[in-house]
Amino acid sequence: MKIQKSFSGQELNTVYVVPTPIGNLEDITFRALKTLMKVSVIAAEDTRNTKKLLNHFDITTQLISYHEHNKETRGEQLLERLENGESIAIVSDAGMPGISDPGYELVQAAIEADYPVVVLPGANAALCALVGSGLPADEFLFYGFLPRKKRDKEAELERLKLVSGTLLLYESPYRIKDTLKMLHSHLGDRQISVARELTKKFEEYIRGNAAELIDWAEKTELKGEFCLVVEGTSSESVQKDKLWWSSLSVVEHVSHYINEADLSSKDAIKRTASDRNMPKREVYQTYHVDQ
C-alpha cells in the first residue's frame, strides 16, 4: 500500500499531469500555466504542437518529446531526472494525458518508484461531449477508439452492447461513417450524439437515433475529431441479449459467432463459453470433437 500526500510542501521529484486545451486556448487554467513555468522539463506528445502553446503564453521551460514510439527509453531518462531532484510536467497534444494519449506508463513508473504524481483538472473532450449529449451521465463507460480491424471492432461492439451505461467513443473523420453503421447493426437504433470540433469555432452537436446519424453522415463533409456518445442498453435488453442463444445448441452457438460476427473459431468458442458460463475446454470438445 502506498499513501501520497500531494500538498505536503514537496515540489521536487514530482510528476505533474497537465491537461491542455482541446481547441480553445482560453481553456488553459492559471494553475496549469504556473505549473508549466515552474517545472524543470515538459514531456510532450508532439513538441511542435506544444511549442505553439508555450510560445502563446511566453513559457520557456525545456521541452522534450514523450510519445508512443519512445516512451520506454524516454521514460527511463525522465525517472533519472526525478531521481536528481527535478520536477516534470507531462502533456499531450490536447486534453488529459493518459486518456487515449501517452502518459499512463510514466505515471505508473513514477508511482512504483515512490515519486509523487499530481494530476491537474482541465479540458477533456469525452466529458464535454457526454454532458452536452443530453444522454444520462450518472453511469458511463469511456472506451476511446474502437479497433480498426473490422473483426476486432465487431467483437468489441458485441461486448459493449450489454453495457447499461452511456458509451463514450472517439473516432476519426475517416472511419465515422463505418462506425455509425456498425453501431446501428450491432447495438440497434439507439440514441447517439456526435460531438465535433469541441471548444473550437465550428463546434457542433448532432443528436438523433442511429439511422438518422447515418443519413447525416452520408450527406455531410466530415472534418475534425469526433466524440460519439451512445445510449446504453436497458436491463430488459440485457436480459434478452443474454438469452438470445437459448434455443441454439453449443455448436450452433459457436457457428453463429463465426458466421455473423466474423470471429475466429477460437474467439467464438471463448464468447460461447462466456455466454453459457461453461469451461472453454467443454465448448471446444463439443464443437471440434463430439459433433
Short mmCIF file of all heavy atoms in Angstrom, two decimals, residues 9-71:
data_model
loop_
_atom_site.label_atom_id
_atom_site.label_comp_id
_atom_site.label_asym_id
_atom_site.label_seq_id
_atom_site.Cartn_x
_atom_site.Cartn_y
_atom_site.Cartn_z
N GLY A 9 4.12 20.25 0.72
CA GLY A 9 5.23 21.19 0.56
C GLY A 9 6.32 20.66 -0.35
O GLY A 9 7.25 21.38 -0.69
N GLN A 10 6.21 19.41 -0.76
CA GLN A 10 7.20 18.79 -1.63
C GLN A 10 6.88 19.12 -3.08
O GLN A 10 5.82 18.75 -3.60
CB GLN A 10 7.19 17.27 -1.43
CG GLN A 10 7.94 16.49 -2.49
CD GLN A 10 9.45 16.56 -2.33
OE1 GLN A 10 9.93 17.08 -1.35
NE2 GLN A 10 10.16 16.04 -3.30
N GLU A 11 7.78 19.83 -3.76
CA GLU A 11 7.56 20.14 -5.16
C GLU A 11 8.63 19.53 -6.06
O GLU A 11 8.47 19.50 -7.28
CB GLU A 11 7.52 21.66 -5.37
CG GLU A 11 6.31 22.32 -4.72
CD GLU A 11 6.17 23.78 -5.11
OE1 GLU A 11 7.08 24.29 -5.78
OE2 GLU A 11 5.14 24.39 -4.76
N LEU A 12 9.72 19.05 -5.48
CA LEU A 12 10.75 18.39 -6.27
C LEU A 12 10.37 16.92 -6.48
O LEU A 12 9.50 16.39 -5.79
CB LEU A 12 12.10 18.51 -5.57
CG LEU A 12 12.60 19.93 -5.29
CD1 LEU A 12 13.93 19.89 -4.54
CD2 LEU A 12 12.74 20.73 -6.58
N ASN A 13 11.03 16.28 -7.40
CA ASN A 13 10.80 14.85 -7.66
C ASN A 13 9.33 14.53 -7.93
O ASN A 13 8.85 13.45 -7.58
CB ASN A 13 11.27 13.99 -6.47
CG ASN A 13 12.65 14.37 -5.98
OD1 ASN A 13 12.76 15.17 -5.05
ND2 ASN A 13 13.66 13.81 -6.59
N THR A 14 8.62 15.45 -8.55
CA THR A 14 7.18 15.27 -8.75
C THR A 14 6.84 15.25 -10.23
O THR A 14 7.40 16.01 -11.03
CB THR A 14 6.40 16.40 -8.06
OG1 THR A 14 6.66 16.36 -6.65
CG2 THR A 14 4.90 16.26 -8.30
N VAL A 15 5.91 14.36 -10.59
CA VAL A 15 5.35 14.35 -11.94
C VAL A 15 4.01 15.06 -11.91
O VAL A 15 3.12 14.67 -11.14
CB VAL A 15 5.17 12.91 -12.46
CG1 VAL A 15 4.45 12.93 -13.82
CG2 VAL A 15 6.51 12.20 -12.59
N TYR A 16 3.86 16.08 -12.72
CA TYR A 16 2.60 16.80 -12.85
C TYR A 16 1.94 16.41 -14.17
O TYR A 16 2.54 16.54 -15.23
CB TYR A 16 2.83 18.32 -12.81
CG TYR A 16 3.34 18.83 -11.49
CD1 TYR A 16 4.70 18.96 -11.25
CD2 TYR A 16 2.45 19.19 -10.48
CE1 TYR A 16 5.18 19.43 -10.03
CE2 TYR A 16 2.91 19.67 -9.26
CZ TYR A 16 4.28 19.78 -9.04
OH TYR A 16 4.73 20.23 -7.83
N VAL A 17 0.71 15.92 -14.09
CA VAL A 17 -0.06 15.60 -15.28
C VAL A 17 -0.92 16.82 -15.59
O VAL A 17 -1.81 17.18 -14.82
CB VAL A 17 -0.94 14.35 -15.06
CG1 VAL A 17 -1.71 14.02 -16.33
CG2 VAL A 17 -0.07 13.17 -14.63
N VAL A 18 -0.63 17.47 -16.73
CA VAL A 18 -1.22 18.77 -17.02
C VAL A 18 -2.10 18.70 -18.27
O VAL A 18 -1.60 18.54 -19.39
CB VAL A 18 -0.13 19.83 -17.23
CG1 VAL A 18 -0.76 21.21 -17.47
CG2 VAL A 18 0.81 19.89 -16.02
N PRO A 19 -3.41 18.82 -18.13
CA PRO A 19 -4.29 18.88 -19.30
C PRO A 19 -4.07 20.19 -20.06
O PRO A 19 -3.80 21.23 -19.46
CB PRO A 19 -5.70 18.83 -18.72
CG PRO A 19 -5.52 18.44 -17.29
CD PRO A 19 -4.17 18.90 -16.88
N THR A 20 -4.19 20.11 -21.38
CA THR A 20 -4.06 21.30 -22.21
C THR A 20 -5.33 21.47 -23.05
O THR A 20 -6.09 20.52 -23.21
CB THR A 20 -2.83 21.19 -23.13
OG1 THR A 20 -2.89 19.96 -23.85
CG2 THR A 20 -1.54 21.24 -22.33
N PRO A 21 -5.60 22.67 -23.56
CA PRO A 21 -6.84 22.92 -24.30
C PRO A 21 -7.04 21.96 -25.47
O PRO A 21 -6.07 21.57 -26.14
CB PRO A 21 -6.67 24.35 -24.79
CG PRO A 21 -5.75 24.98 -23.79
CD PRO A 21 -4.79 23.90 -23.41
N ILE A 22 -8.29 21.61 -25.73
CA ILE A 22 -8.60 20.72 -26.85
C ILE A 22 -8.97 21.53 -28.10
O ILE A 22 -9.37 20.96 -29.11
CB ILE A 22 -9.75 19.75 -26.49
CG1 ILE A 22 -11.02 20.51 -26.10
CG2 ILE A 22 -9.31 18.80 -25.40
CD1 ILE A 22 -12.21 19.61 -25.81
N GLY A 23 -8.79 22.83 -28.03
CA GLY A 23 -9.08 23.67 -29.18
C GLY A 23 -9.03 25.15 -28.85
O GLY A 23 -8.38 25.94 -29.54
N ASN A 24 -9.66 25.53 -27.76
CA ASN A 24 -9.73 26.93 -27.36
C ASN A 24 -8.66 27.20 -26.30
O ASN A 24 -8.71 26.67 -25.19
CB ASN A 24 -11.12 27.22 -26.79
CG ASN A 24 -11.36 28.71 -26.59
OD1 ASN A 24 -10.44 29.46 -26.28
ND2 ASN A 24 -12.59 29.13 -26.79
N LEU A 25 -7.68 28.02 -26.64
CA LEU A 25 -6.55 28.28 -25.74
C LEU A 25 -6.99 28.92 -24.43
O LEU A 25 -6.29 28.83 -23.43
CB LEU A 25 -5.52 29.18 -26.42
CG LEU A 25 -4.74 28.55 -27.58
CD1 LEU A 25 -3.74 29.56 -28.15
CD2 LEU A 25 -4.00 27.30 -27.10
N GLU A 26 -8.18 29.55 -24.42
CA GLU A 26 -8.66 30.18 -23.19
C GLU A 26 -9.06 29.16 -22.13
O GLU A 26 -9.32 29.52 -20.98
CB GLU A 26 -9.84 31.10 -23.50
CG GLU A 26 -9.47 32.31 -24.34
CD GLU A 26 -10.64 33.24 -24.59
OE1 GLU A 26 -11.75 32.94 -24.10
OE2 GLU A 26 -10.44 34.29 -25.25
N ASP A 27 -9.09 27.88 -22.51
CA ASP A 27 -9.46 26.84 -21.55
C ASP A 27 -8.28 26.39 -20.70
O ASP A 27 -8.45 25.54 -19.81
CB ASP A 27 -10.05 25.63 -22.28
CG ASP A 27 -11.42 25.94 -22.88
OD1 ASP A 27 -12.09 26.84 -22.35
OD2 ASP A 27 -11.79 25.28 -23.87
N ILE A 28 -7.09 26.91 -20.91
CA ILE A 28 -5.96 26.60 -20.04
C ILE A 28 -6.22 27.23 -18.68
O ILE A 28 -6.80 28.32 -18.58
CB ILE A 28 -4.63 27.13 -20.64
CG1 ILE A 28 -3.42 26.51 -19.94
CG2 ILE A 28 -4.57 28.64 -20.59
CD1 ILE A 28 -3.10 25.13 -20.38
N THR A 29 -5.84 26.56 -17.61
CA THR A 29 -6.08 27.11 -16.27
C THR A 29 -4.85 27.89 -15.78
O THR A 29 -3.73 27.66 -16.23
CB THR A 29 -6.39 25.99 -15.26
OG1 THR A 29 -5.22 25.19 -15.07
CG2 THR A 29 -7.54 25.12 -15.75
N PHE A 30 -5.06 28.78 -14.84
CA PHE A 30 -3.95 29.51 -14.23
C PHE A 30 -2.97 28.54 -13.59
O PHE A 30 -1.75 28.72 -13.67
CB PHE A 30 -4.47 30.51 -13.19
CG PHE A 30 -5.20 31.68 -13.77
CD1 PHE A 30 -6.54 31.89 -13.47
CD2 PHE A 30 -4.57 32.56 -14.63
CE1 PHE A 30 -7.23 32.98 -14.00
CE2 PHE A 30 -5.25 33.64 -15.18
CZ PHE A 30 -6.58 33.85 -14.86
N ARG A 31 -3.52 27.52 -12.96
CA ARG A 31 -2.66 26.54 -12.29
C ARG A 31 -1.81 25.78 -13.29
O ARG A 31 -0.64 25.50 -13.04
CB ARG A 31 -3.52 25.58 -11.47
CG ARG A 31 -2.71 24.61 -10.63
CD ARG A 31 -3.63 23.71 -9.84
NE ARG A 31 -2.88 22.65 -9.18
CZ ARG A 31 -3.41 21.51 -8.78
NH1 ARG A 31 -4.70 21.28 -8.97
NH2 ARG A 31 -2.67 20.59 -8.20
N ALA A 32 -2.40 25.43 -14.43
CA ALA A 32 -1.63 24.72 -15.46
C ALA A 32 -0.48 25.59 -15.96
O ALA A 32 0.66 25.11 -16.11
CB ALA A 32 -2.55 24.33 -16.62
N LEU A 33 -0.74 26.86 -16.22
CA LEU A 33 0.31 27.77 -16.69
C LEU A 33 1.42 27.90 -15.65
O LEU A 33 2.62 27.85 -15.99
CB LEU A 33 -0.29 29.14 -17.01
CG LEU A 33 -1.24 29.20 -18.20
CD1 LEU A 33 -1.85 30.59 -18.32
CD2 LEU A 33 -0.52 28.82 -19.49
N LYS A 34 1.03 28.06 -14.39
CA LYS A 34 2.02 28.19 -13.32
C LYS A 34 2.88 26.94 -13.22
O LYS A 34 4.11 27.01 -13.05
CB LYS A 34 1.30 28.45 -12.00
CG LYS A 34 2.24 28.64 -10.82
CD LYS A 34 1.45 28.93 -9.55
CE LYS A 34 2.39 29.08 -8.35
NZ LYS A 34 1.63 29.34 -7.10
N THR A 35 2.24 25.77 -13.37
CA THR A 35 2.98 24.51 -13.28
C THR A 35 3.95 24.36 -14.44
O THR A 35 5.11 23.96 -14.25
CB THR A 35 1.99 23.33 -13.26
OG1 THR A 35 1.13 23.46 -12.13
CG2 THR A 35 2.74 22.00 -13.18
N LEU A 36 3.50 24.68 -15.65
CA LEU A 36 4.37 24.56 -16.82
C LEU A 36 5.57 25.51 -16.73
O LEU A 36 6.64 25.23 -17.28
CB LEU A 36 3.58 24.84 -18.09
CG LEU A 36 2.49 23.82 -18.43
CD1 LEU A 36 1.69 24.27 -19.65
CD2 LEU A 36 3.07 22.43 -18.67
N MET A 37 5.40 26.61 -16.02
CA MET A 37 6.51 27.56 -15.85
C MET A 37 7.53 27.10 -14.82
O MET A 37 8.73 27.33 -14.97
CB MET A 37 5.95 28.93 -15.43
CG MET A 37 5.18 29.66 -16.51
SD MET A 37 4.50 31.23 -15.87
CE MET A 37 3.56 31.79 -17.29
N LYS A 38 7.06 26.39 -13.77
CA LYS A 38 7.95 26.11 -12.65
C LYS A 38 8.67 24.78 -12.74
O LYS A 38 9.69 24.57 -12.07
CB LYS A 38 7.18 26.18 -11.34
CG LYS A 38 6.28 24.98 -11.07
CD LYS A 38 5.61 25.08 -9.71
CE LYS A 38 4.74 23.85 -9.42
NZ LYS A 38 4.07 23.94 -8.11
N VAL A 39 8.16 23.82 -13.56
CA VAL A 39 8.81 22.51 -13.62
C VAL A 39 10.15 22.60 -14.33
O VAL A 39 10.44 23.57 -15.04
CB VAL A 39 7.91 21.47 -14.32
CG1 VAL A 39 6.65 21.21 -13.50
CG2 VAL A 39 7.56 21.92 -15.74
N SER A 40 10.95 21.56 -14.17
CA SER A 40 12.26 21.52 -14.81
C SER A 40 12.16 21.21 -16.29
O SER A 40 12.96 21.71 -17.10
CB SER A 40 13.13 20.45 -14.13
OG SER A 40 13.20 20.64 -12.74
N VAL A 41 11.21 20.37 -16.65
CA VAL A 41 11.09 19.94 -18.04
C VAL A 41 9.64 19.57 -18.33
O VAL A 41 8.91 19.11 -17.44
CB VAL A 41 12.03 18.73 -18.32
CG1 VAL A 41 11.66 17.53 -17.46
CG2 VAL A 41 12.02 18.37 -19.80
N ILE A 42 9.23 19.77 -19.57
CA ILE A 42 7.89 19.38 -20.02
C ILE A 42 8.04 18.25 -21.03
O ILE A 42 8.72 18.39 -22.05
CB ILE A 42 7.15 20.56 -20.69
CG1 ILE A 42 6.99 21.71 -19.69
CG2 ILE A 42 5.78 20.10 -21.21
CD1 ILE A 42 6.49 23.00 -20.34
N ALA A 43 7.41 17.11 -20.75
CA ALA A 43 7.41 15.96 -21.66
C ALA A 43 6.14 16.01 -22.48
O ALA A 43 5.05 15.90 -21.94
CB ALA A 43 7.51 14.65 -20.87
N ALA A 44 6.28 16.17 -23.80
CA ALA A 44 5.13 16.41 -24.67
C ALA A 44 4.98 15.32 -25.72
O ALA A 44 5.97 14.80 -26.24
CB ALA A 44 5.27 17.77 -25.35
N GLU A 45 3.73 15.02 -26.06
CA GLU A 45 3.44 14.03 -27.10
C GLU A 45 4.02 14.49 -28.45
O GLU A 45 4.60 13.70 -29.19
CB GLU A 45 1.94 13.83 -27.22
CG GLU A 45 1.52 12.82 -28.25
CD GLU A 45 0.01 12.69 -28.36
OE1 GLU A 45 -0.71 13.47 -27.71
OE2 GLU A 45 -0.45 11.79 -29.10
N ASP A 46 3.85 15.77 -28.78
CA ASP A 46 4.40 16.34 -30.00
C ASP A 46 4.96 17.71 -29.65
O ASP A 46 4.20 18.65 -29.37
CB ASP A 46 3.30 16.46 -31.07
CG ASP A 46 3.84 16.91 -32.42
OD1 ASP A 46 4.86 17.64 -32.44
OD2 ASP A 46 3.25 16.55 -33.45
N THR A 47 6.27 17.84 -29.64
CA THR A 47 6.90 19.09 -29.20
C THR A 47 6.52 20.26 -30.11
O THR A 47 6.42 21.40 -29.64
CB THR A 47 8.42 18.95 -29.16
OG1 THR A 47 8.90 18.51 -30.44
CG2 THR A 47 8.84 17.93 -28.10
N ARG A 48 6.28 19.99 -31.39
CA ARG A 48 5.91 21.08 -32.31
C ARG A 48 4.57 21.68 -31.92
O ARG A 48 4.39 22.91 -31.93
CB ARG A 48 5.87 20.57 -33.74
CG ARG A 48 7.22 20.09 -34.28
CD ARG A 48 7.03 19.31 -35.56
NE ARG A 48 6.21 18.11 -35.33
CZ ARG A 48 5.88 17.25 -36.28
NH1 ARG A 48 6.29 17.45 -37.52
NH2 ARG A 48 5.14 16.19 -36.00
N ASN A 49 3.64 20.82 -31.56
CA ASN A 49 2.31 21.28 -31.19
C ASN A 49 2.35 22.02 -29.85
O ASN A 49 1.76 23.10 -29.70
CB ASN A 49 1.37 20.08 -31.10
CG ASN A 49 -0.08 20.50 -30.88
OD1 ASN A 49 -0.70 21.10 -31.75
ND2 ASN A 49 -0.61 20.18 -29.71
N THR A 50 3.04 21.44 -28.88
CA THR A 50 3.11 22.05 -27.56
C THR A 50 3.91 23.35 -27.58
O THR A 50 3.62 24.28 -26.82
CB THR A 50 3.74 21.07 -26.55
OG1 THR A 50 2.96 19.86 -26.53
CG2 THR A 50 3.79 21.65 -25.16
N LYS A 51 4.90 23.44 -28.48
CA LYS A 51 5.70 24.67 -28.58
C LYS A 51 4.81 25.86 -28.91
O LYS A 51 5.03 26.97 -28.41
CB LYS A 51 6.76 24.48 -29.67
CG LYS A 51 7.76 25.64 -29.75
CD LYS A 51 8.64 25.68 -28.50
CE LYS A 51 9.72 26.75 -28.63
NZ LYS A 51 10.53 26.85 -27.39
N LYS A 52 3.80 25.66 -29.75
CA LYS A 52 2.88 26.74 -30.09
C LYS A 52 2.14 27.23 -28.85
O LYS A 52 1.96 28.43 -28.65
CB LYS A 52 1.87 26.26 -31.14
CG LYS A 52 2.50 25.86 -32.47
CD LYS A 52 1.44 25.30 -33.41
CE LYS A 52 2.06 24.81 -34.70
NZ LYS A 52 1.05 24.20 -35.61
N LEU A 53 1.71 26.28 -28.00
CA LEU A 53 1.03 26.64 -26.76
C LEU A 53 1.96 27.42 -25.83
O LEU A 53 1.57 28.47 -25.28
CB LEU A 53 0.52 25.38 -26.06
CG LEU A 53 -0.14 25.57 -24.70
CD1 LEU A 53 -1.49 26.26 -24.85
CD2 LEU A 53 -0.31 24.22 -23.98
N LEU A 54 3.18 26.93 -25.68
CA LEU A 54 4.14 27.59 -24.78
C LEU A 54 4.50 28.98 -25.29
O LEU A 54 4.60 29.93 -24.50
CB LEU A 54 5.40 26.73 -24.65
CG LEU A 54 5.22 25.32 -24.06
CD1 LEU A 54 6.57 24.63 -23.89
CD2 LEU A 54 4.46 25.35 -22.75
N ASN A 55 4.68 29.11 -26.59
CA ASN A 55 5.02 30.43 -27.15
C ASN A 55 3.88 31.42 -26.93
O ASN A 55 4.12 32.60 -26.66
CB ASN A 55 5.31 30.30 -28.64
CG ASN A 55 6.64 29.63 -28.92
OD1 ASN A 55 7.51 29.57 -28.05
ND2 ASN A 55 6.82 29.13 -30.14
N HIS A 56 2.64 30.94 -27.04
CA HIS A 56 1.49 31.82 -26.86
C HIS A 56 1.46 32.42 -25.46
O HIS A 56 1.04 33.58 -25.28
CB HIS A 56 0.20 31.04 -27.12
CG HIS A 56 -1.04 31.87 -27.04
ND1 HIS A 56 -1.48 32.65 -28.09
CD2 HIS A 56 -1.94 32.06 -26.02
CE1 HIS A 56 -2.59 33.28 -27.73
NE2 HIS A 56 -2.89 32.93 -26.49
N PHE A 57 1.91 31.65 -24.48
CA PHE A 57 1.88 32.12 -23.10
C PHE A 57 3.28 32.48 -22.57
O PHE A 57 3.47 32.60 -21.36
CB PHE A 57 1.25 31.05 -22.20
CG PHE A 57 -0.23 30.85 -22.45
CD1 PHE A 57 -0.69 29.75 -23.13
CD2 PHE A 57 -1.14 31.79 -22.01
CE1 PHE A 57 -2.05 29.57 -23.37
CE2 PHE A 57 -2.50 31.62 -22.24
CZ PHE A 57 -2.96 30.51 -22.92
N ASP A 58 4.24 32.62 -23.47
CA ASP A 58 5.61 33.05 -23.12
C ASP A 58 6.24 32.14 -22.07
O ASP A 58 6.85 32.61 -21.10
CB ASP A 58 5.61 34.50 -22.62
CG ASP A 58 5.18 35.48 -23.71
OD1 ASP A 58 5.57 35.27 -24.87
OD2 ASP A 58 4.47 36.45 -23.38
N ILE A 59 6.09 30.85 -22.25
CA ILE A 59 6.69 29.87 -21.34
C ILE A 59 7.94 29.31 -22.00
O ILE A 59 7.90 28.82 -23.13
CB ILE A 59 5.70 28.74 -21.02
CG1 ILE A 59 4.46 29.32 -20.31
CG2 ILE A 59 6.35 27.66 -20.17
CD1 ILE A 59 3.34 28.33 -20.09
N THR A 60 9.07 29.36 -21.28
CA THR A 60 10.36 28.97 -21.86
C THR A 60 10.94 27.69 -21.25
O THR A 60 12.10 27.37 -21.47
CB THR A 60 11.38 30.12 -21.68
OG1 THR A 60 11.52 30.41 -20.28
CG2 THR A 60 10.91 31.37 -22.43
N THR A 61 10.15 26.96 -20.50
CA THR A 61 10.61 25.72 -19.88
C THR A 61 11.10 24.73 -20.95
O THR A 61 10.54 24.67 -22.05
CB THR A 61 9.46 25.07 -19.08
OG1 THR A 61 8.94 26.03 -18.16
CG2 THR A 61 9.94 23.84 -18.32
N GLN A 62 12.14 23.97 -20.61
CA GLN A 62 12.68 22.98 -21.55
C GLN A 62 11.58 22.00 -21.97
O GLN A 62 10.78 21.54 -21.16
CB GLN A 62 13.83 22.20 -20.92
CG GLN A 62 14.45 21.17 -21.86
CD GLN A 62 15.45 20.26 -21.18
OE1 GLN A 62 15.64 20.32 -19.96
NE2 GLN A 62 16.11 19.41 -21.95
N LEU A 63 11.57 21.67 -23.25
CA LEU A 63 10.55 20.81 -23.83
C LEU A 63 11.22 19.61 -24.48
O LEU A 63 12.14 19.76 -25.27
CB LEU A 63 9.75 21.60 -24.87
CG LEU A 63 8.54 20.94 -25.53
CD1 LEU A 63 7.45 20.68 -24.50
CD2 LEU A 63 8.02 21.84 -26.65
N ILE A 64 10.76 18.39 -24.14
CA ILE A 64 11.27 17.18 -24.78
C ILE A 64 10.10 16.30 -25.20
O ILE A 64 8.99 16.45 -24.70
CB ILE A 64 12.22 16.38 -23.85
CG1 ILE A 64 11.46 15.90 -22.61
CG2 ILE A 64 13.43 17.21 -23.46
CD1 ILE A 64 12.30 14.96 -21.74
N SER A 65 10.35 15.38 -26.11
CA SER A 65 9.28 14.53 -26.63
C SER A 65 9.07 13.32 -25.73
O SER A 65 10.01 12.77 -25.15
CB SER A 65 9.61 14.06 -28.04
OG SER A 65 10.76 13.24 -28.05
N TYR A 66 7.82 12.92 -25.61
CA TYR A 66 7.45 11.68 -24.92
C TYR A 66 6.20 11.16 -25.61
O TYR A 66 5.12 11.70 -25.46
CB TYR A 66 7.17 11.93 -23.43
CG TYR A 66 6.71 10.68 -22.70
CD1 TYR A 66 7.63 9.74 -22.26
CD2 TYR A 66 5.36 10.45 -22.46
CE1 TYR A 66 7.21 8.59 -21.61
CE2 TYR A 66 4.93 9.30 -21.81
CZ TYR A 66 5.87 8.39 -21.39
OH TYR A 66 5.45 7.24 -20.74
N HIS A 67 6.39 10.11 -26.43
CA HIS A 67 5.27 9.62 -27.22
C HIS A 67 5.31 8.11 -27.32
O HIS A 67 6.17 7.44 -26.70
CB HIS A 67 5.27 10.26 -28.62
CG HIS A 67 6.59 10.21 -29.31
ND1 HIS A 67 7.16 9.04 -29.77
CD2 HIS A 67 7.48 11.21 -29.61
CE1 HIS A 67 8.31 9.30 -30.34
NE2 HIS A 67 8.54 10.60 -30.25
N GLU A 68 4.40 7.55 -28.08
CA GLU A 68 4.21 6.10 -28.16
C GLU A 68 5.47 5.37 -28.58
O GLU A 68 5.72 4.26 -28.14
CB GLU A 68 3.07 5.80 -29.15
CG GLU A 68 2.69 4.33 -29.25
CD GLU A 68 2.09 3.78 -27.95
OE1 GLU A 68 1.50 4.57 -27.20
OE2 GLU A 68 2.23 2.57 -27.73
N HIS A 69 6.29 5.99 -29.42
CA HIS A 69 7.43 5.30 -30.01
C HIS A 69 8.73 5.44 -29.20
O HIS A 69 9.70 4.73 -29.47
CB HIS A 69 7.66 5.78 -31.43
CG HIS A 69 6.45 5.62 -32.31
ND1 HIS A 69 5.94 4.38 -32.66
CD2 HIS A 69 5.62 6.54 -32.87
CE1 HIS A 69 4.87 4.54 -33.41
NE2 HIS A 69 4.64 5.83 -33.54
N ASN A 70 8.77 6.36 -28.24
CA ASN A 70 9.99 6.50 -27.45
C ASN A 70 9.73 6.43 -25.95
O ASN A 70 10.59 6.78 -25.13
CB ASN A 70 10.71 7.81 -27.79
CG ASN A 70 10.01 9.04 -27.22
OD1 ASN A 70 8.89 8.97 -26.72
ND2 ASN A 70 10.66 10.18 -27.30
N LYS A 71 8.51 6.00 -25.56
CA LYS A 71 8.11 6.09 -24.16
C LYS A 71 8.97 5.24 -23.23
O LYS A 71 9.14 5.59 -22.06
CB LYS A 71 6.64 5.72 -24.00
CG LYS A 71 6.28 4.31 -24.44
CD LYS A 71 4.78 4.09 -24.40
CE LYS A 71 4.39 2.70 -24.86
NZ LYS A 71 2.92 2.52 -24.90
#
